[in-house]
Amino acid sequence: MIAYTVGSYGIEMLIPLGELIVAVAGATALFICIVALIASAFTRINFFCVIHALKDILFLAFSTASSEAALPGAMKRLEALGVPKTIVTFVMPTGYSFNLDGSTLYSSAGILFIAQLYGIQMPIEQQLLVMVTLMLSTKGIAGVPGAGIIVVAATAAAFNLPTEGVAILLGVDRILDMIRTICNVCGNCMATVVVACWEKDLTKADFYKNYRAFLEDRAA
C-alpha cells in the first residue's frame, strides 16, 4: 500500500502522511491522559496505575490492530485488579460495541486530512456534524482490523469529499489502525474500572492491594 501511494502521488506524499501519524498518536495520547485524569478525580484511584497494569495487553492490541485479540487478556487482568467478574463480563463487551473513542478519533483525523489535502474548507459546524456521524458509524468495528478505512471512505462520500483521498490513507492505515485500537482497549478498560467504583464493588484500598499483588507476581 505504501508502494502504491508513493508510486501514484510521489515520495513527497510521505511527509503529510507522517504528520498525520504524529497528529493521531499525539491526539490519542492526550485523550487517554485527559480521560485518565478525569477518572482518577472521580474514583480517587490513580488510573495511570491501571494503564501500567494493562501495558502488555495494550501492546497486544497495538501489534494485532484488533481489540478482540486483547479482550480475553484484558478481562482477566481487570479481574486480577479487583473488578468483579459480573461487571467485567458486562461492561467490556458492551464497550467494544459502543465505546469506540479511538475509532472516532482516527476516522475524524482521516476526514480532516482528506479535506485539507484537497484544500476544502470545513466550517466548525460541519466538523461537529462529521464527529457526530462518525460516533454513530464507527459502532461495531472494533474487532475488525482495517474496517476504519471503510468508514472514512463512506463518510467522505457523504460529505462530498474526494474519495480518491482514501487511497492516499491506505499507505498508513495499518499504523493508524494500531493506534486507534490502543485507544479503544484502554478506554474500555478504564470505563470498566469506573463502573466498578461507581457501583461500590471496587474500593481504593482493594484496588491498590490487588495492584501491589500484581506487581509482586510480575517481579517474581
Side-chain angles (χ1 to χ4, degrees), residues 8 47 59 87-88 107 123 215:
S8 301
F47 268 70
F59 278 130
I87 290 180
V88 173
S107 302
L215 293 179

Side-chain angles (χ1 to χ4, degrees), residues 82-84 87 191-202:
V83 181
I87 290 180
T192 304
V193 176
V194 169
V195 171
C197 294
W198 192 356
E199 294 295 318
K200 296 182 172 55
D201 287 324
L202 179 65

